[in-house]
């Protein structure tokens, strides 16, 4: 189970703008084992989507991956050229995008779009590819997949389109599936269907999933491990139960407290004061420092290290210096 | 029990015509709201929940007179809001009901400064003295947590949360009594969402405001609302007080909605039984109960007869044949698992 599949080391992706280099992802490291579901959580602008796009080297200009390593089965993806990457995209690592409305091509039937990646990755027999497309559509819950392959995206509802996206992503049986907010655009009842489908498919295909989301509810229900990002950095990493029971970083604590919960009652919600800084206003020390209630002088001056504590819990905060428990 | 309702919506129907495919085809309509009735009392927060296309925003828009209903009445303090004697009567009414929009990015004019945006309703309603106006705007800005130096800035200089504060200040400018809030926090990040929700609660207490809070997020609705109506395909399927609705949901759709929410606790049981299928098209809604195509309790009666809202417990109304029949047979409706008890 715990075979290392992907390791990201010190990834740094910047966007070159007129105002200088904007680090969207700034020194992020994590690993993904086979069969694992890793959730990357954070608010908008924290770099979670850029992290996932970096793994597939899909960063659009003026963005650039300037440092770090992305080791997939021991090979550094950043050293691969476009041709080699194209072999990996879809076949080894594939992605489900956030917007099912805009990520499908409106002028091709969905069957064609599913077959495309199969044919690209070496399937010569069109009939076989078609059979596979039908099989995939059945797998994601289309009741009449033989008919459905000739549908155009405009004939489908949002939930159905997202199923097509999932079918496309899974046709080549990738080792890693990156799902970037796969349910954000969907209604809750449809969201529940899609999440259940992802869980089932994971059992069937054994793919590892990187789930990018801002919804801590989804994370709790689907992930094994969670990485919390803030302002381009990973601030906390822990197994899911550990994170919800024992959040360490003040930002994670704040996030967990600020969501209204359906099973609890609060008069006023906790809220984290202020807002997420943009890349050009990142503080010198800890990036969360201006919004942190525990912030001290040291937090303003120096950047806290990303320390590893017992049982795999990692945190970037001066409160937990030295790696071992010294709770302030 | 309570005083006269502040707002009363009676059998509201809003149909949008669909473009004809050919000249001979029959004109079709999207039935966005199809017989919606409810009452809102002074000082309460009334929630309208449902998934996209259920008609919650349409209902909200009809209440602020942004669209004209096909049928039905909306009474504000007992007076019909669509049949006023003259322009002045409309204007007086408009001051009392204001709207907070969903998208803080597109609902503020990018060419206006913050001060101008918030002053706009004052200008329209005849506050001609510029000094007085500025004073009022600064007062409002302070109230929603904006600094005075924000007065001359433009919307693009603000983040989503700050913009939504501007939107809230603008809606408060005329001292309205009823605020229709159409998904005011769904475009915001969680930490910012909490700030805006708290602000709205504070303002409500400070000004004795009444809110109609439209949202698809049941957790948010539970946090802020007193009474909640659940909508599905243009119909209200259930209305109840917050506690009652979450502890004893009666309609199968409400139960499914509650079940579908991912709870931020890895050990909580949820999303076990999910609804199958999609919401049917509001152009050709199913006959009988609009939910029967996805309901796991659907019987023959549901396919033929439209269920009416009826009281299953004091103040708790549900539109489902199942409970109507159970009640007739002396059955109980409280056999649901209590999710809020944890």
């Amino acid at each position: 189970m715990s075979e290392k599949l992907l390791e990201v080391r010190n990834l740094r992706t910047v966007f070159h703008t007129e105002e200088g280099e904007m680090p969207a992802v700034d020194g992020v490291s994590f690993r993904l084992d086979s069969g694992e579901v890793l959730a990357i959580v954070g608010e908008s602008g924290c770099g979670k989507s850029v992290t996932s796009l970096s793994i597939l080297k899909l960063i659009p200009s003026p963005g650039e991956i300037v440092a770090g390593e992305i080791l997939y089965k021991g090979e550094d993806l950043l050293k691969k050229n476009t041709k080699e990457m194209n072999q990996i995209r879809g076949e080894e690592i594939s992605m489900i995008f956030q917007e099912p409305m805009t990520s499908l091509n409106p002028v091709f039937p969905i069957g064609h779009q599913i077959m495309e990646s199969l044919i690209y990755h070496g399937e010569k027999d069109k009939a076989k590819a078609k059979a596979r497309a039908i099989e995939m559509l059945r797998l994601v819950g289309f009741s009449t997949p033989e008919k459905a392959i000739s549908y155009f995206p405009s004939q489908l509802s949002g939930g159905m389109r997202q199923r097509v996206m999932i079918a496309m992503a899974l046709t080549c049986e990738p080792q890693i599936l990156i799902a970037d907010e796969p349910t954000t655009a969907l209604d809750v009842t449809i969201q529940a269907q899609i999440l259940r489908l992802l869980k089932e498919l994971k059992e069937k295909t054994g793919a590892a999933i990187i789930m990018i989301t801002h919804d801590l509810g989804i994370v709790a229900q689907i992930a094994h491990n969670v990485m919390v990002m803030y302002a381009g950095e990973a601030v906390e990493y822990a197994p899911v139960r550990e994170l919800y029971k024992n959040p360490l970083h003040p930002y994670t604590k704040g996030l967990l407290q600020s969501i209204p919960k359906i099973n609890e009652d609060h008069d006023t919600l906790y809220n984290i004061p202020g807002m997420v800084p943009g890349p050009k206003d990142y503080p010198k020390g800890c990036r969360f420092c201006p919004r942190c209630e525990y912030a001290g002088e040291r937090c303003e001056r120096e950047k806290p290290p990303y320390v590893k504590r017992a049982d795999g819990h990692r945190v970037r905060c001066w409160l937990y210096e030295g790696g071992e428990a010294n709770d302030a | 029990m309570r005083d006269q309702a502040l707002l009363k919506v009676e059998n509201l129907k809003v149909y949008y015509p669909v473009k004809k495919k050919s000249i001979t085809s029959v004109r079709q309509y999207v039935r966005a709201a199809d017989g919606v009735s409810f009452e809102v009392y002074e000082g309460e927060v009334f929630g309208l929940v449902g998934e996209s296309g259920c008609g919650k925003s349409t209902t909200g828009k009809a209440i602020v007179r942004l669209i004209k209903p096909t049928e039905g009445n909306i009474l504000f303090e007992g007076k019909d809001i669509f049949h006023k004697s003259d322009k002045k009567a409309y204007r007086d009414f408009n001051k009392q009901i204001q709207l907070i929009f969903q998208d803080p990015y597109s609902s503020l004019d990018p060419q206006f400064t913050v001060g101008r945006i918030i002053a706009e309703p004052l200008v329209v309603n005849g506050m001609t003295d510029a000094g007085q106006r500025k004073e009022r705007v600064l007062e409002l800005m302070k109230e929603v947590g904006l600094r005075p130096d924000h007065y001359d800035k433009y919307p693009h200089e603000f983040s989503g949360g700050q913009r939504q504060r501007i939107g809230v200040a603008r809606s408060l400018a005329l001292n309205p009594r009823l605020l229709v809030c159409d998904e005011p926090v769904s475009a915001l990040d969680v930490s910012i969402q909490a700030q805006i929700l708290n602000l709205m609660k504070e303002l409500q207490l400070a000004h004795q405001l009444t809110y109609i809070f439209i949202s698809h997020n049941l957790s948010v609705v539970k946090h802020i609302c007193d009474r909640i109506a659940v909508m599905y395909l243009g119909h209200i399927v259930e209305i109840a007080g917050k506690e009652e609705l979450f502890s004893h949901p009666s309609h199968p759709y409400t139960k499914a909605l509650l079940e579908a929410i991912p709870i931020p606790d890895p050990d909580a049981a949820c999303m076990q039984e999910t609804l199958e299928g999609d919401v049917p098209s509001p152009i050709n809604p199913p006959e009988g109960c609009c939910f029967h195509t996805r309901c796991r309790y659907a019987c023959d009666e549901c396919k033929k007869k439209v269920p009416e809202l009826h009281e299953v417990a004091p103040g708790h109304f549900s539109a489902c044949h199942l409970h109507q029949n159970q009640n007739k047979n002396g059955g109980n409706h409280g056999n649901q698992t209590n999710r809020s008890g944890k």
Side-chain angles (χ1 to χ4, degrees):
Chain A
M1 155 99 193
S2 59
E3 184 197 335
K4 185 162 72 183
L5 204 57
L6 181 80
E7 188 172 8
V8 174
R9 285 193 202 147
N10 282 320
L11 177 71
R12 189 174 146 89
T13 305
V14 301
F15 284 82
H16 301 286
T17 67
E18 285 172 6
E19 293 163 70
E21 259 183 21
M22 298 293 161
V25 177
D26 203 357
V28 167
S29 307
F30 61 89
R31 67 176 267 179
L32 180 76
D33 293 339
S34 53
E36 179 187 343
V37 181
L38 171 74
I40 303 181
V41 208
E43 296 180 282
S44 32
C46 72
K48 54 190 193 302
S49 289
V50 176
T51 304
S52 66
L53 290 172
S54 300
I55 295 171
L56 281 174
K57 296 218 288 181
L58 290 174
I59 298 294
S61 174
E64 191 189 355
I65 302 170
V66 288
E69 286 174 282
I70 298 171
L71 302 172
Y72 172 69
K73 291 186 170 165
E75 289 177 61
D76 191 352
L77 296 185
L78 296 181
K79 296 208 175 78
K80 295 203 183 288
N81 61 29
T82 312
K83 208 174 157 196
E84 287 165 326
M85 271 318 286
N86 282 347
Q87 288 307 317
I88 287 172
R89 292 179 190 136
E91 175 117 38
E92 305 277 336
I93 306 176
S94 66
M95 186 148 181
I96 302 172
F97 295 93
Q98 174 170 2
E99 278 282 337
M101 313 292 168
T102 53
S103 341
L104 290 170
N105 191 334
V107 299
F108 289 111
I110 57 172
H112 178 98
Q113 300 187 48
I114 297 174
M115 282 152 63
E116 193 181 346
S117 70
L118 278 170
I119 290 165
Y120 186 88
H121 289 295
E123 178 62 78
K124 299 245 163 35
D125 189 345
K126 266 204 161 177
K128 264 193 195 159
K130 191 175 168 188
R132 175 80 180 142
I134 292 174
E135 188 192 327
M136 286 314 296
L137 285 174
R138 182 170 290 124
L139 194 66
V140 296
F142 278 82
S143 49
T144 51
E146 295 82 3
K147 258 197 205 161
I149 52 164
S150 53
Y151 288 169
F152 286 88
S154 59
Q155 291 169 281
L156 302 171
S157 66
M160 281 302 175
R161 284 181 218 186
Q162 197 56 289
R163 284 163 196 266
V164 173
M165 290 292 298
I166 294 174
M168 276 169 72
L170 290 175
T171 31
C172 293
E173 298 185 338
Q175 300 281 313
I176 301 175
L177 180 64
I178 302 173
D180 186 0
E181 307 249 10
T183 58
T184 306
L186 305 174
D187 281 319
V188 271
T189 57
I190 309 298
Q191 166 176 297
Q193 289 172 9
I194 298 290
L195 290 178
R196 194 178 58 175
L197 176 71
L198 276 177
K199 266 188 183 174
E200 283 170 9
L201 291 177
K202 193 189 82 67
E203 300 298 320
K204 266 186 213 160
T205 61
I209 299 179
I210 298 178
M211 183 94 176
I212 316 281
T213 179
H214 66 275
D215 187 329
L216 287 158
I218 294 175
V219 174
Q221 295 304 322
I222 199 167
H224 299 132
N225 294 306
V226 189
M227 179 165 83
V228 183
M229 286 188 69
Y230 184 79
E233 294 177 328
V235 294
E236 187 160 2
Y237 173 91
V240 67
R241 280 200 170 72
E242 169 75 9
L243 188 92
Y244 283 79
K245 299 256 149 62
N246 182 24
L248 295 179
H249 198 281
Y251 176 63
T252 316
K253 286 183 188 170
L255 264 191
L256 283 169
Q257 280 171 32
S258 58
I259 22 175
K261 295 178 194 69
I262 201 113
N263 50 354
E264 283 165 34
D265 268 318
H266 301 282
D267 275 345
T268 43
L269 287 171
Y270 175 83
N271 63 63
I272 306 173
M275 52 193 164
V276 185
K280 58 177 174 179
D281 327 298
Y282 283 157
K284 204 171 91 206
C286 170
R287 291 190 178 163
F288 187 59
C289 162
R291 303 175 75 190
C292 181
E293 54 185 299
Y294 308 102
E297 202 208 329
R298 189 177 190 185
C299 306
E300 276 173 43
R301 274 186 291 116
E302 289 175 64
K303 201 167 164 156
Y306 193 38
V307 293
K308 188 171 186 179
R309 289 161 54 91
D311 55 41
H313 204 142
R314 283 170 166 271
V315 62
R316 189 190 290 280
C317 179
W318 283 120
L319 290 177
Y320 308 99
E321 198 193 343
E324 283 314 309
N326 55 344
D327 289 22
Chain B
M1 183 175 84
R2 259 183 281 194
D3 317 324
Q4 200 201 0
L6 180 68
L7 182 90
K8 197 169 177 184
V9 176
E10 291 174 338
N11 196 25
L12 177 75
K13 289 186 183 173
V14 182
Y15 292 176
Y16 298 112
V18 182
K19 202 177 172 194
K20 277 192 194 178
K21 286 216 174 95
S22 76
I23 201 155
T24 50
S25 61
V26 184
R27 165 78 74 205
Q28 287 188 310
Y29 292 92
V30 171
R31 301 181 185 189
D34 203 0
V36 172
S37 305
F38 59 87
E39 289 175 351
V40 181
Y41 299 97
E42 182 108 49
E44 79 172 344
V45 181
F46 184 80
L48 273 179
V49 219
E51 298 179 282
S52 40
C54 72
K56 53 191 195 302
S57 290
T58 298
T59 309
K61 281 184 188 155
I63 293 168
V64 287
R65 283 195 328 116
L66 282 178
I67 36 180
K68 226 181 161 133
T70 315
E71 227 182 283
N73 296 316
I74 299 175
L75 307 175
F76 184 75
E77 295 191 303
K79 286 178 215 124
D80 194 323
I81 64 170
F82 285 97
H83 300 96
K84 300 271 179 204
S85 48
D86 52 38
K87 261 194 168 163
K88 190 178 171 300
Y90 275 126
R91 186 160 285 182
D92 285 341
F93 160 79
N94 283 353
K95 284 185 195 168
Q96 313 224 22
I97 303 190
Q98 291 288 319
L99 183 68
I100 299 177
F101 294 93
Q102 168 173 8
D103 183 0
Y105 293 89
S106 59
S107 60
L108 302 177
D109 191 326
Q111 301 185 59
F112 283 9
T113 61
V114 171
R116 174 82 201 277
I117 288 170
I118 302 174
E120 184 84 0
L122 300 171
V123 176
V124 172
N125 281 281
M127 192 187 257
T128 41
D129 185 314
Q132 216 181 349
R133 219 160 46 209
K134 182 163 184 183
E135 200 177 304
R136 171 78 181 131
V137 170
L138 287 172
E139 186 188 318
L140 285 162
M141 286 173 62
K142 193 177 158 208
E143 205 160 12
V144 297
L146 293 168
R147 290 199 309 272
D149 60 301
H150 289 153
Y151 187 88
D152 289 317
K153 289 194 173 172
Y154 287 89
H156 74 262
E157 296 172 74
F158 293 87
S159 65
Q162 299 281 72
R163 286 179 197 220
Q164 200 54 299
R165 285 175 197 268
I166 300 170
V168 172
R170 177 176 61 183
S171 339
L172 287 177
L174 297 167
N175 284 319
R177 293 173 63 195
L178 178 69
L179 272 178
V180 177
C181 319
D182 190 357
E183 305 253 18
V185 294
S186 48
L188 308 173
D189 275 319
V190 272
S191 71
I192 309 300
Q193 170 179 307
Q195 293 175 4
I196 300 293
L197 285 175
N198 285 345
L199 171 72
M200 290 184 64
K201 256 194 163 169
E202 281 163 28
L203 291 171
Q204 193 218 354
L205 294 177
H207 297 273
Q208 282 99 46
L209 292 168
T210 309
Y211 288 150
I212 293 178
F213 195 94
I214 299 169
S215 178
H216 68 279
N217 186 333
L218 278 160
S219 318
V220 168
V221 164
K222 183 178 183 213
H223 176 74
I224 199 161
C225 296
D226 302 313
R227 273 193 323 130
I228 295 163
V230 181
M231 290 188 71
Y232 185 79
L233 262 185
H235 296 266
I236 288 185
V237 295
E238 188 162 2
I239 302 185
K242 170 174 75 176
E243 297 303 327
E244 173 75 10
L245 188 84
F246 284 90
S247 55
H248 300 114
S250 159
H251 197 281
Y253 178 62
T254 315
K255 284 188 214 168
L257 260 191
L258 289 173
E259 180 69 38
I261 303 170
I263 296 179
D265 176 353
D267 294 318
C270 63
M271 305 202 297
Q272 304 293 329
E273 292 180 42
T274 47
L275 276 184
E276 297 296 325
D278 266 322
V279 183
S281 155
I283 298 175
N284 283 310
E287 298 270 311
C289 172
C290 55
F291 186 58
H292 84 253
T293 51
R294 300 171 81 193
C295 180
R296 82 186 89 120
Y297 308 104
C299 57
D300 281 346
E301 193 184 3
C302 307
K303 287 173 193 157
K304 290 173 204 139
K305 210 172 111 195
V306 181
E308 300 281 322
L309 277 176
H310 62 275
E311 201 159 21
V312 290
H316 183 172
F317 296 86
S318 168
C320 180
H321 290 307
L322 195 67
H323 301 288
Q324 225 159 356
N325 298 342
Q326 264 180 15
N327 280 3
K328 269 182 218 155
N329 306 334
N332 69 337
H333 73 282
N335 53 354
Q336 292 83 34
T337 44
N338 183 341
R339 272 166 53 98
S340 62
K342 209 190 169 192

